[in-house]
Amino acid sequence: AQKITQTQPGMFVQEKEAVTLDCTYDTSDQSYGLFWYKQPSSGEMIFLIYQGSYDEQNATEGRYSLNFQKARKSANLVISASQLGDSAMYFCAMREFYPQGGSEKLVFGKGTKLTVNP
Amino acid sequence: DGGITQSPKYLFRKEGQNVTLSCEQNLNHDAMYWYRQDPGQGLRLIYYSQIVNDFQKGDIAEGYSVSREKKESFPLTVTSAQKNPTAFYLCASRHTGDYGYTFGSGTRLTVV
């Protein structure tokens, strides 16, 4: 079963409008973390925002905010005032912790391709 | 500037040849990771290493091998046993106790 689900393969938004990218996750752990990354066509992964499972406030970073609804296991990314440069792939990812050795890994969703129209 | 360097950016190999992808970091990070990305897919974990001389298989380790002889370096070998090696490969690192991951710029491998 998928641990990170992004149900929107593609999204379109007009420049200067806000857009919400959906992400739901599946975990039975109490401690976890959720990331959003942006991947432009060049391929690098750009960190946008992070939300820890114990954080009571929704995370915000400039024009990015994370709408964290723990009971629904959702962590949607909201981009306000979209810009043409926001056109890219967006990935939601979750930190998975291994009980032994203190190791962890990131599990990714399949991504959403965002296109900002002028 | 600190970061992760992946080289080369593009790599072409003939089918049946082994190929090694380089990943070097100067961030003094303990943990290093290799991910594979196929078109329309998210990243899938190949191997990861928490400390020098130790590494663990990820979700899709078959046909790949790694080494971690130095803290700074985590090369990935794509062997001839990997049935479909053409993909985009990303290396990442993380400092133990920190939540932040740093990614390299990736290597696009094409096997012909």
Side-chain angles (χ1 to χ4, degrees):
Chain A
Q2 273 192 313
K3 294 191 175 182
I4 297 287
T5 302
Q6 295 181 252
T7 57
Q8 306 153 316
M11 287 284 286
F12 294 87
V13 65
Q14 287 299 120
E15 195 178 5
K16 299 180 185 176
E17 291 185 351
V19 62
T20 298
L21 305 184
D22 294 341
C23 172
T24 58
Y25 60 92
D26 182 24
T27 183
S28 55
D29 294 339
Q30 296 300 309
S31 179
Y32 54 90
L34 296 153
F35 292 84
W36 277 93
Y37 287 92
K38 172 184 178 181
Q39 187 181 46
S41 56
S42 54
E44 75 265 33
M45 298 292 282
I46 301 169
F47 166 77
L48 295 178
I49 200 165
Y50 174 77
Q51 179 87 38
S53 58
Y54 295 117
D55 295 339
E56 294 184 355
Q57 304 267 6
N58 284 347
T60 60
E61 293 280 356
R63 294 187 298 112
Y64 305 107
S65 60
L66 199 151
N67 184 0
F68 183 47
Q69 298 193 31
K70 200 168 179 177
R72 294 185 179 184
K73 292 189 175 179
S74 75
N76 298 339
L77 176 71
V78 180
I79 305 175
S80 63
S82 297
Q83 301 172 356
L84 296 178
D86 292 336
S87 293
M89 284 292 292
Y90 288 80
F91 290 97
C92 180
M94 180 172 65
R95 293 171 83 188
E96 272 199 332
F97 297 96
Y98 293 107
Q100 295 176 341
S103 62
E104 62 170 82
K105 68 176 183 180
L106 281 183
V107 178
F108 286 82
K110 294 189 175 183
T112 296
K113 184 175 182 179
L114 177 66
T115 303
V116 181
N117 294 317
Chain B
D1 286 340
I4 295 182
T5 301
Q6 288 189 245
S7 60
K9 192 170 180 65
Y10 298 95
L11 191 54
F12 296 87
R13 279 295 182 268
K14 290 185 178 179
E15 197 172 335
Q17 288 182 335
N18 291 355
V19 60
T20 297
L21 282 59
S22 170
C23 177
E24 303 276 334
Q25 54 100 358
N26 60 3
L27 300 164
N28 199 34
H29 284 177
D30 308 294
M32 297 187 74
Y33 302 80
W34 274 106
Y35 285 90
R36 169 181 171 141
Q37 186 179 20
D38 295 287
Q41 300 290 322
L43 279 65
R44 292 182 291 167
L45 182 65
I46 305 172
Y47 268 98
Y48 66 100
S49 167
Q50 290 291 123
I51 56 173
V52 174
N53 292 323
D54 187 48
F55 47 83
Q56 282 77 41
K57 293 181 179 180
D59 302 315
I60 55 166
E62 186 175 350
Y64 299 97
S65 66
V66 293
S67 62
R68 186 87 185 275
E69 297 176 2
K70 298 186 299 182
K71 189 175 186 178
E72 305 79 27
S73 179
F74 191 40
L76 173 75
T77 297
V78 184
T79 74
S80 56
Q82 169 49 234
K83 295 193 187 327
N84 187 14
T86 294
F88 186 57
Y89 292 87
L90 279 161
C91 180
S93 70
R94 180 184 63 84
H95 185 70
T96 303
D98 189 7
Y99 70 81
Y101 287 72
T102 301
F103 283 85
S105 56
T107 292
R108 195 168 298 278
L109 173 65
T110 302
V111 174
V112 295

PDB file of all heavy atoms in Angstrom, chain A residues 90-110:
ATOM      1  N   TYR A  90       6.022  18.712  -7.826  1.00  0.00           N
ATOM      2  CA  TYR A  90       6.023  18.880  -6.379  1.00  0.00           C
ATOM      3  C   TYR A  90       5.814  17.513  -5.733  1.00  0.00           C
ATOM      4  O   TYR A  90       4.889  16.784  -6.080  1.00  0.00           O
ATOM      5  CB  TYR A  90       4.928  19.850  -5.939  1.00  0.00           C
ATOM      6  CG  TYR A  90       5.249  21.276  -6.307  1.00  0.00           C
ATOM      7  CD1 TYR A  90       5.043  21.749  -7.598  1.00  0.00           C
ATOM      8  CD2 TYR A  90       5.795  22.143  -5.367  1.00  0.00           C
ATOM      9  CE1 TYR A  90       5.365  23.048  -7.945  1.00  0.00           C
ATOM     10  CE2 TYR A  90       6.119  23.451  -5.701  1.00  0.00           C
ATOM     11  CZ  TYR A  90       5.903  23.892  -6.995  1.00  0.00           C
ATOM     12  OH  TYR A  90       6.227  25.183  -7.334  1.00  0.00           O
ATOM     13  N   PHE A  91       6.697  17.209  -4.795  1.00  0.00           N
ATOM     14  CA  PHE A  91       6.647  15.912  -4.128  1.00  0.00           C
ATOM     15  C   PHE A  91       6.409  16.090  -2.637  1.00  0.00           C
ATOM     16  O   PHE A  91       7.051  16.919  -1.980  1.00  0.00           O
ATOM     17  CB  PHE A  91       7.965  15.153  -4.326  1.00  0.00           C
ATOM     18  CG  PHE A  91       8.181  14.687  -5.737  1.00  0.00           C
ATOM     19  CD1 PHE A  91       8.960  15.421  -6.602  1.00  0.00           C
ATOM     20  CD2 PHE A  91       7.600  13.507  -6.183  1.00  0.00           C
ATOM     21  CE1 PHE A  91       9.159  14.992  -7.912  1.00  0.00           C
ATOM     22  CE2 PHE A  91       7.796  13.070  -7.486  1.00  0.00           C
ATOM     23  CZ  PHE A  91       8.578  13.820  -8.349  1.00  0.00           C
ATOM     24  N   CYS A  92       5.513  15.259  -2.137  1.00  0.00           N
ATOM     25  CA  CYS A  92       5.300  15.133  -0.710  1.00  0.00           C
ATOM     26  C   CYS A  92       6.111  13.924  -0.249  1.00  0.00           C
ATOM     27  O   CYS A  92       6.190  12.911  -0.967  1.00  0.00           O
ATOM     28  CB  CYS A  92       3.808  14.918  -0.437  1.00  0.00           C
ATOM     29  SG  CYS A  92       3.357  14.732   1.289  1.00  0.00           S
ATOM     30  N   ALA A  93       6.743  14.017   0.912  1.00  0.00           N
ATOM     31  CA  ALA A  93       7.554  12.914   1.416  1.00  0.00           C
ATOM     32  C   ALA A  93       7.417  12.815   2.930  1.00  0.00           C
ATOM     33  O   ALA A  93       7.150  13.813   3.610  1.00  0.00           O
ATOM     34  CB  ALA A  93       9.028  13.124   1.048  1.00  0.00           C
ATOM     35  N   MET A  94       7.589  11.609   3.430  1.00  0.00           N
ATOM     36  CA  MET A  94       7.462  11.367   4.875  1.00  0.00           C
ATOM     37  C   MET A  94       8.730  10.721   5.408  1.00  0.00           C
ATOM     38  O   MET A  94       9.291   9.824   4.766  1.00  0.00           O
ATOM     39  CB  MET A  94       6.269  10.445   5.146  1.00  0.00           C
ATOM     40  CG  MET A  94       6.041  10.115   6.605  1.00  0.00           C
ATOM     41  SD  MET A  94       4.501   9.227   6.877  1.00  0.00           S
ATOM     42  CE  MET A  94       4.816   7.679   6.023  1.00  0.00           C
ATOM     43  N   ARG A  95       9.159  11.180   6.579  1.00  0.00           N
ATOM     44  CA  ARG A  95      10.273  10.538   7.272  1.00  0.00           C
ATOM     45  C   ARG A  95       9.753   9.269   7.913  1.00  0.00           C
ATOM     46  O   ARG A  95       8.793   9.294   8.662  1.00  0.00           O
ATOM     47  CB  ARG A  95      10.817  11.437   8.389  1.00  0.00           C
ATOM     48  CG  ARG A  95      11.471  12.687   7.955  1.00  0.00           C
ATOM     49  CD  ARG A  95      11.753  13.542   9.176  1.00  0.00           C
ATOM     50  NE  ARG A  95      12.975  13.165   9.864  1.00  0.00           N
ATOM     51  CZ  ARG A  95      13.343  13.667  11.028  1.00  0.00           C
ATOM     52  NH1 ARG A  95      12.569  14.518  11.653  1.00  0.00           N
ATOM     53  NH2 ARG A  95      14.476  13.308  11.592  1.00  0.00           N
ATOM     54  N   GLU A  96      10.438   8.160   7.615  1.00  0.00           N
ATOM     55  CA  GLU A  96      10.156   6.896   8.287  1.00  0.00           C
ATOM     56  C   GLU A  96      11.346   6.554   9.154  1.00  0.00           C
ATOM     57  O   GLU A  96      12.474   6.556   8.675  1.00  0.00           O
ATOM     58  CB  GLU A  96       9.951   5.771   7.267  1.00  0.00           C
ATOM     59  CG  GLU A  96       8.537   5.636   6.784  1.00  0.00           C
ATOM     60  CD  GLU A  96       8.276   4.285   6.171  1.00  0.00           C
ATOM     61  OE1 GLU A  96       9.218   3.659   5.645  1.00  0.00           O
ATOM     62  OE2 GLU A  96       7.106   3.861   6.203  1.00  0.00           O
ATOM     63  N   PHE A  97      11.087   6.243  10.418  1.00  0.00           N
ATOM     64  CA  PHE A  97      12.160   5.943  11.344  1.00  0.00           C
ATOM     65  C   PHE A  97      12.280   4.444  11.543  1.00  0.00           C
ATOM     66  O   PHE A  97      11.287   3.741  11.645  1.00  0.00           O
ATOM     67  CB  PHE A  97      11.897   6.603  12.699  1.00  0.00           C
ATOM     68  CG  PHE A  97      11.858   8.096  12.628  1.00  0.00           C
ATOM     69  CD1 PHE A  97      10.655   8.762  12.516  1.00  0.00           C
ATOM     70  CD2 PHE A  97      13.028   8.829  12.672  1.00  0.00           C
ATOM     71  CE1 PHE A  97      10.611  10.137  12.442  1.00  0.00           C
ATOM     72  CE2 PHE A  97      12.995  10.211  12.596  1.00  0.00           C
ATOM     73  CZ  PHE A  97      11.785  10.870  12.481  1.00  0.00           C
ATOM     74  N   TYR A  98      13.504   3.970  11.591  1.00  0.00           N
ATOM     75  CA  TYR A  98      13.748   2.588  11.931  1.00  0.00           C
ATOM     76  C   TYR A  98      14.017   2.517  13.430  1.00  0.00           C
ATOM     77  O   TYR A  98      14.802   3.289  13.946  1.00  0.00           O
ATOM     78  CB  TYR A  98      14.938   2.039  11.143  1.00  0.00           C
ATOM     79  CG  TYR A  98      14.664   1.935   9.668  1.00  0.00           C
ATOM     80  CD1 TYR A  98      15.240   2.828   8.781  1.00  0.00           C
ATOM     81  CD2 TYR A  98      13.810   0.966   9.166  1.00  0.00           C
ATOM     82  CE1 TYR A  98      14.987   2.746   7.432  1.00  0.00           C
ATOM     83  CE2 TYR A  98      13.549   0.882   7.817  1.00  0.00           C
ATOM     84  CZ  TYR A  98      14.143   1.776   6.955  1.00  0.00           C
ATOM     85  OH  TYR A  98      13.880   1.702   5.612  1.00  0.00           O
ATOM     86  N   PRO A  99      13.389   1.565  14.120  1.00  0.00           N
ATOM     87  CA  PRO A  99      13.527   1.532  15.584  1.00  0.00           C
ATOM     88  C   PRO A  99      14.949   1.262  16.056  1.00  0.00           C
ATOM     89  O   PRO A  99      15.359   1.735  17.100  1.00  0.00           O
ATOM     90  CB  PRO A  99      12.576   0.393  16.006  1.00  0.00           C
ATOM     91  CG  PRO A  99      12.355  -0.412  14.771  1.00  0.00           C
ATOM     92  CD  PRO A  99      12.493   0.530  13.619  1.00  0.00           C
ATOM     93  N   GLN A 100      15.730   0.515  15.264  1.00  0.00           N
ATOM     94  CA  GLN A 100      17.083   0.193  15.693  1.00  0.00           C
ATOM     95  C   GLN A 100      18.096   1.047  14.952  1.00  0.00           C
ATOM     96  O   GLN A 100      17.966   1.277  13.754  1.00  0.00           O
ATOM     97  CB  GLN A 100      17.379  -1.285  15.438  1.00  0.00           C
ATOM     98  CG  GLN A 100      16.517  -2.228  16.258  1.00  0.00           C
ATOM     99  CD  GLN A 100      16.764  -3.677  15.919  1.00  0.00           C
ATOM    100  OE1 GLN A 100      17.295  -3.973  14.872  1.00  0.00           O
ATOM    101  NE2 GLN A 100      16.369  -4.561  16.800  1.00  0.00           N
ATOM    102  N   GLY A 101      19.054   1.519  15.673  1.00  0.00           N
ATOM    103  CA  GLY A 101      20.159   2.233  15.036  1.00  0.00           C
ATOM    104  C   GLY A 101      19.899   3.696  14.761  1.00  0.00           C
ATOM    105  O   GLY A 101      20.794   4.405  14.307  1.00  0.00           O
ATOM    106  N   GLY A 102      18.705   4.161  15.038  1.00  0.00           N
ATOM    107  CA  GLY A 102      18.431   5.579  14.844  1.00  0.00           C
ATOM    108  C   GLY A 102      18.408   6.020  13.399  1.00  0.00           C
ATOM    109  O   GLY A 102      18.567   7.199  13.101  1.00  0.00           O
ATOM    110  N   SER A 103      18.226   5.080  12.487  1.00  0.00           N
ATOM    111  CA  SER A 103      18.245   5.474  11.083  1.00  0.00           C
ATOM    112  C   SER A 103      16.847   5.839  10.621  1.00  0.00           C
ATOM    113  O   SER A 103      15.845   5.550  11.287  1.00  0.00           O
ATOM    114  CB  SER A 103      18.812   4.344  10.222  1.00  0.00           C
ATOM    115  OG  SER A 103      17.997   3.196  10.306  1.00  0.00           O
ATOM    116  N   GLU A 104      16.795   6.491   9.485  1.00  0.00           N
ATOM    117  CA  GLU A 104      15.520   6.908   8.922  1.00  0.00           C
ATOM    118  C   GLU A 104      15.674   7.010   7.409  1.00  0.00           C
ATOM    119  O   GLU A 104      16.792   6.988   6.875  1.00  0.00           O
ATOM    120  CB  GLU A 104      15.099   8.259   9.478  1.00  0.00           C
ATOM    121  CG  GLU A 104      16.072   9.387   9.144  1.00  0.00           C
ATOM    122  CD  GLU A 104      15.495  10.745   9.504  1.00  0.00           C
ATOM    123  OE1 GLU A 104      15.568  11.133  10.677  1.00  0.00           O
ATOM    124  OE2 GLU A 104      14.998  11.420   8.579  1.00  0.00           O
ATOM    125  N   LYS A 105      14.555   7.122   6.732  1.00  0.00           N
ATOM    126  CA  LYS A 105      14.574   7.322   5.292  1.00  0.00           C
ATOM    127  C   LYS A 105      13.392   8.197   4.926  1.00  0.00           C
ATOM    128  O   LYS A 105      12.485   8.430   5.730  1.00  0.00           O
ATOM    129  CB  LYS A 105      14.492   5.986   4.553  1.00  0.00           C
ATOM    130  CG  LYS A 105      13.152   5.280   4.721  1.00  0.00           C
ATOM    131  CD  LYS A 105      13.102   4.004   3.886  1.00  0.00           C
ATOM    132  CE  LYS A 105      11.737   3.335   3.994  1.00  0.00           C
ATOM    133  NZ  LYS A 105      11.651   2.103   3.196  1.00  0.00           N
ATOM    134  N   LEU A 106      13.406   8.683   3.693  1.00  0.00           N
ATOM    135  CA  LEU A 106      12.292   9.445   3.145  1.00  0.00           C
ATOM    136  C   LEU A 106      11.509   8.553   2.189  1.00  0.00           C
ATOM    137  O   LEU A 106      12.099   7.878   1.342  1.00  0.00           O
ATOM    138  CB  LEU A 106      12.790  10.663   2.370  1.00  0.00           C
ATOM    139  CG  LEU A 106      13.227  11.888   3.153  1.00  0.00           C
ATOM    140  CD1 LEU A 106      13.613  12.997   2.190  1.00  0.00           C
ATOM    141  CD2 LEU A 106      12.142  12.346   4.098  1.00  0.00           C
ATOM    142  N   VAL A 107      10.180   8.595   2.323  1.00  0.00           N
ATOM    143  CA  VAL A 107       9.290   7.902   1.396  1.00  0.00           C
ATOM    144  C   VAL A 107       8.526   8.967   0.621  1.00  0.00           C
ATOM    145  O   VAL A 107       7.935   9.865   1.234  1.00  0.00           O
ATOM    146  CB  VAL A 107       8.317   6.979   2.151  1.00  0.00           C
ATOM    147  CG1 VAL A 107       7.377   6.305   1.168  1.00  0.00           C
ATOM    148  CG2 VAL A 107       9.087   5.952   2.962  1.00  0.00           C
ATOM    149  N   PHE A 108       8.536   8.852  -0.698  1.00  0.00           N
ATOM    150  CA  PHE A 108       7.972   9.892  -1.556  1.00  0.00           C
ATOM    151  C   PHE A 108       6.645   9.474  -2.180  1.00  0.00           C
ATOM    152  O   PHE A 108       6.415   8.294  -2.457  1.00  0.00           O
ATOM    153  CB  PHE A 108       8.951  10.216  -2.697  1.00  0.00           C
ATOM    154  CG  PHE A 108      10.141  11.014  -2.266  1.00  0.00           C
ATOM    155  CD1 PHE A 108      11.240  10.398  -1.695  1.00  0.00           C
ATOM    156  CD2 PHE A 108      10.159  12.389  -2.435  1.00  0.00           C
ATOM    157  CE1 PHE A 108      12.345  11.136  -1.297  1.00  0.00           C
ATOM    158  CE2 PHE A 108      11.260  13.129  -2.044  1.00  0.00           C
ATOM    159  CZ  PHE A 108      12.343  12.504  -1.467  1.00  0.00           C
ATOM    160  N   GLY A 109       5.805  10.466  -2.443  1.00  0.00           N
ATOM    161  CA  GLY A 109       4.657  10.274  -3.306  1.00  0.00           C
ATOM    162  C   GLY A 109       5.090  10.362  -4.766  1.00  0.00           C
ATOM    163  O   GLY A 109       6.260  10.612  -5.074  1.00  0.00           O
ATOM    164  N   LYS A 110       4.113  10.188  -5.676  1.00  0.00           N
ATOM    165  CA  LYS A 110       4.441  10.177  -7.098  1.00  0.00           C
ATOM    166  C   LYS A 110       4.508  11.571  -7.696  1.00  0.00           C
ATOM    167  O   LYS A 110       4.915  11.730  -8.842  1.00  0.00           O
ATOM    168  CB  LYS A 110       3.438   9.321  -7.863  1.00  0.00           C
ATOM    169  CG  LYS A 110       3.525   7.855  -7.503  1.00  0.00           C
ATOM    170  CD  LYS A 110       2.686   6.989  -8.428  1.00  0.00           C
ATOM    171  CE  LYS A 110       2.919   5.522  -8.089  1.00  0.00           C
ATOM    172  NZ  LYS A 110       2.186   4.623  -9.008  1.00  0.00           N
TER     173      LYS A 110
END
